[in-house]
Amino acid sequence: MGRRWREVAAIAVAVTFAAVSVVAVGKRVRKRREWGRVEGIMRELEKECETDVGRLRQVADALAVEMNAGLASEGGSKLKMLLTHVDRLPDGSEKGIYYALDLGGTNFRVLQIRLGGQRSSILTHDVERQPIPRHLMTSTSEELFDFVAAALKTFVENKENADGDVPGSGRELGFTFSFPVKQASVSSGILIRWTKGFAIEDMVGKDVSESLQLALQRKGLDMRIVALVNDSVGTLALGYYHDPDTVAAVIFGTGTNACYIERREAIIKCQGLNTSFGSMVVNLEWGSFWSSHLPRTLYDIELDLDSPNPTEQGFEKMISGMYLGEIARRVILRMAQQSDFLGVVPSKLSTPFILRTPMMAAMHEDESQSLSEVDRILTEILEVPEVHPRIRKLVMKVCDIITRRAARLAAAGIVGILKKIGREGERPLGSRSRPDTTMRRTVVAVEGGLYVSYTTFREYLHEALEEILGEDIVRHVVLQVTEDGSGIGAALVAAAHSSTSVHTQ
Ligand code: ADP
Ligand code: MG
């Protein structure tokens, strides 16, 4: 090769290198820009989910105000403040064998308890859990109730055969049905509407107990429904049975709800209520609580619009286990759509409800150095082809923001109830005493997989409770987990109302 050709070749190589490095720099700049976009989405999310203590106090105040409005008149608030007609909580004097059926979320349970006639003397309890087949959630009421009645029958027969109990008459059941029900008595009520993904149109407006009673008859199971309660009421009953300082109960599971013990005079919408006692358990149905103080994002708005019950259950859609994973999925999807940080948007990421809250919790609580669990879930469930360590951290942060907001709002809800019943430490009017000397021990029974199994959710909730109430007051507030409380509690309510089960207003 002559000298001139060597020079030409050298120039050509140099030009190629220059072109390659321009492309590389261009790629890097684009990547940085894309990443900047993702971080922008994250910053926006963080800002919109802000729940400083001032805002939490406003939420708590708003809930207390709505509780008053819901008690004052029918339809006076988004909070239904449903009368449960449970005016007697189990005090320990109950004796005998009672059954319960707990339906209202992801699983249903059938159980039996044996009561010994003293406080905290549940001699035995046996539970059987089964997932509710998804297709039954949108089938017909007959199919759904036939299914649970069959499960109950098998359970009862197995128990009686095993224990040598005399089968036949006298069986009594507490039915936990965790959807909004308008009750006319402790043992009956009409379904107002479905929540949590259930949609069986022929059931709305029908008597829930009657539908179950008919299914029991079809199966030839002789059993009387003595109490119809929702999960929060069951949880309160079990909490109270163990500890009479229990004043309220909250559920953080597939859905969220709360109930509390209210003085009869305060239930203005039902003056002259025929109750044998001075108080009654009121079911807030706080899933439908709404206030302009709640920090709502684009993702919440879109989730709501795409749900089968838009504009309903606003509080529940920000807090409960059914929705947290789905909110996180929507955030990650938006990040993927607005940048190429995951490459081509994986089709699985566009599938609603594919990221379930337990998976979100597993990613959030991944303590491995390489965040291998985050990697596994993103690759296996969302089918993301390659998960860079930076992306793993980012996804973890998304989970954190959403769960933190949920847990803090949940804490504000609890404080709202305490405020309503004067247990949040505010100095009574005209009193000069320090709040902590007037504060009584206050127990709130808690149940639900989200609270029990998602440690970070629970810790954030406790932290916020302390922030809102302050150290002096929070020492007097006990959150007591009652395992299987919603079901056992229903059996206890059945026991407490066993001889005089009909209390019409
Ligand atoms: P249900 O509300 O159906 O009666 P649970 O109280 O057992 O049932 O709550 C189940 C719900 O709790 C699940 O749907 C899920 O959203 C949530 N959950 C269960 N386990 C976990 C977990 N490990 N992490 C986060 N959430 C969980
Ligand atoms: Mg439950």
Side-chain angles (χ1 to χ4, degrees):
M1 203 190 285
R3 190 166 156 235
R4 189 175 152 64
W5 278 113
R6 269 207 305 274
E7 272 170 15
V8 170
I11 290 167
V13 168
V15 168
T16 316
F17 269 146
V20 167
S21 61
V22 167
V23 170
V25 169
K27 240 186 186 167
R28 236 179 292 138
V29 169
R30 213 183 61 233
K31 268 244 155 346
R32 213 176 302 142
R33 203 182 316 128
E34 299 274 329
W35 192 256
R37 230 175 271 156
V38 170
E39 285 182 330
I41 294 175
M42 177 74 96
R43 271 197 304 277
E44 188 185 45
L45 176 74
E46 209 165 2
K47 197 165 137 245
E48 287 179 357
C49 289
E50 177 57 46
T51 47
D52 59 49
V53 70
R55 187 187 277 252
L56 294 180
R57 291 212 175 99
Q58 286 172 322
V59 171
D61 288 351
L63 186 87
V65 167
E66 291 297 321
M67 287 173 75
N68 272 323
L71 287 177
S73 64
E74 204 65 69
S77 161
K78 271 211 131 189
L79 283 185
K80 290 221 164 306
M81 303 300 285
L82 298 171
L83 306 185
T84 63
H85 296 265
V86 172
D87 54 8
R88 238 164 310 158
L89 285 166
D91 60 9
S93 58
E94 302 76 14
K95 269 189 183 162
I97 295 176
Y98 296 88
Y99 290 91
L101 177 69
D102 180 352
L103 173 72
T106 313
N107 297 301
F108 83 96
R109 300 159 179 80
V110 283
L111 58 95
Q112 185 209 55
I113 61 171
R114 227 172 252 266
L115 300 174
Q118 272 170 32
R119 197 155 219 135
S120 285
S121 67
I122 298 175
L123 301 177
T124 56
H125 93 261
D126 288 284
V127 192
E128 227 174 69
R129 293 185 185 78
Q130 279 186 46
I132 301 166
R134 273 198 90 78
H135 72 274
L136 288 183
M137 292 166 63
T138 51
S139 60
T140 63
S141 56
E142 219 174 274
E143 272 185 82
L144 178 69
F145 283 117
D146 276 351
F147 177 78
V148 292
L152 181 61
K153 183 172 190 226
T154 311
F155 175 79
V156 171
E157 285 173 354
N158 287 347
K159 282 289 326 144
E160 287 177 350
N161 284 341
D163 301 344
D165 288 333
V166 184
S169 63
R171 297 190 196 103
E172 292 185 311
L173 177 82
F175 181 21
T176 312
F177 183 75
S178 307
F179 302 96
V181 168
K182 183 165 174 48
Q183 295 198 245
S185 75
V186 73
S187 60
S188 68
I190 283 166
L191 175 65
I192 299 172
R193 59 188 153 79
W194 290 104
T195 56
K196 297 176 274 189
F198 280 71
I200 303 172
E201 275 320 304
D202 77 286
M203 191 61 218
V204 176
K206 274 200 200 152
D207 191 308
V208 179
S209 295
E210 199 179 300
S211 299
L212 177 64
Q213 195 75 67
L214 288 172
L216 296 178
Q217 273 164 23
R218 283 196 292 273
K219 297 286 165 208
L221 180 60
D222 182 10
M223 191 177 266
R224 197 163 67 92
I225 302 165
V226 177
L228 173 69
V229 300
N230 80 13
D231 47 2
S232 64
V233 177
T235 301
L236 178 64
L238 181 61
Y240 187 86
Y241 182 71
H242 287 307
D243 188 337
D245 284 340
T246 308
V247 296
V250 286
I251 303 291
F252 302 113
T254 306
T256 182
N257 191 17
C259 70
Y260 74 112
I261 304 170
E262 184 55 282
R263 290 168 304 120
R264 196 163 47 165
E265 311 87 78
I267 311 175
I268 294 161
K269 66 182 172 186
C270 269
Q271 282 302 346
L273 203 62
N274 176 21
T275 73
S276 12
F277 294 82
S279 48
M280 184 188 277
V281 176
V282 174
N283 165 13
L284 274 73
E285 281 300 328
W286 85 1
S288 63
F289 169 57
W290 190 254
S291 151
S292 58
H293 298 298
L294 290 169
R296 199 173 200 211
T297 66
L298 178 75
Y299 312 101
D300 301 305
I301 294 169
E302 288 178 356
L303 182 150
D304 182 53
L305 283 174
D306 293 346
S307 71
N309 54 351
T311 75
E312 283 170 14
Q313 303 297 104
F315 198 48
E316 179 162 88
K317 283 172 180 162
M318 282 186 170
I319 291 183
S320 80
M322 174 154 177
Y323 301 102
L324 296 189
E326 172 62 6
I327 303 173
R329 181 196 68 84
R330 283 171 181 267
V331 177
I332 303 166
L333 176 64
R334 176 136 187 268
M335 288 173 164
Q337 283 167 338
Q338 304 225 335
S339 76
D340 68 353
F341 92 126
L342 295 183
V344 178
V345 179
S347 66
K348 280 281 159 67
L349 187 58
S350 306
T351 310
F353 292 95
I354 195 159
L355 184 65
R356 293 161 38 78
T357 303
M359 296 172 194
M360 173 191 185
M363 292 200 287
H364 190 189
E365 297 180 337
D366 185 352
E367 288 183 346
S368 68
Q369 188 127 51
S370 62
L371 302 184
S372 51
E373 189 61 8
V374 181
D375 182 39
R376 189 188 66 77
I377 290 171
L378 289 179
T379 6
E380 286 178 16
I381 310 293
L382 299 181
E383 295 183 355
V384 176
E386 201 191 335
V387 190
H388 191 274
R390 211 169 163 192
I391 294 174
R392 298 178 202 175
K393 276 198 202 133
L394 188 99
V395 167
M396 217 174 182
K397 178 78 182 161
V398 171
C399 300
D400 188 67
I401 294 172
I402 290 161
T403 294
R404 185 166 182 273
R405 178 185 70 162
R408 291 173 70 82
L409 293 177
I414 294 173
V415 175
I417 297 179
L418 298 184
K419 210 173 175 66
K420 168 73 186 77
I421 57 176
R423 295 286 188 104
E424 100 297 11
E426 272 192 5
R427 212 172 291 193
L429 276 180
S431 158
R432 284 162 174 269
S433 54
R434 276 173 55 81
D436 59 334
T437 55
T438 58
M439 182 74 188
R440 280 159 60 195
R441 182 170 175 272
T442 298
V443 181
V444 176
V446 194
E447 189 182 276
L450 184 68
Y451 182 85
V452 172
S453 307
Y454 196 166
T455 311
T456 316
F457 175 89
R458 193 170 61 238
E459 287 173 355
Y460 276 147
L461 191 158
H462 293 173
E463 189 181 81
L465 210 53
E466 180 162 350
E467 264 178 55
I468 311 170
L469 291 174
E471 224 176 287
D472 280 352
I473 303 302
V474 87
R475 314 193 255 120
H476 301 278
V477 177
V478 181
L479 297 193
Q480 183 65 52
V481 171
T482 62
E483 208 186 329
D484 283 321
S486 54
I488 298 174
L492 285 170
V493 175
H497 287 80
S498 162
S499 49
T500 49
S501 61
V502 181
H503 290 268
T504 43
Q505 40 183 89

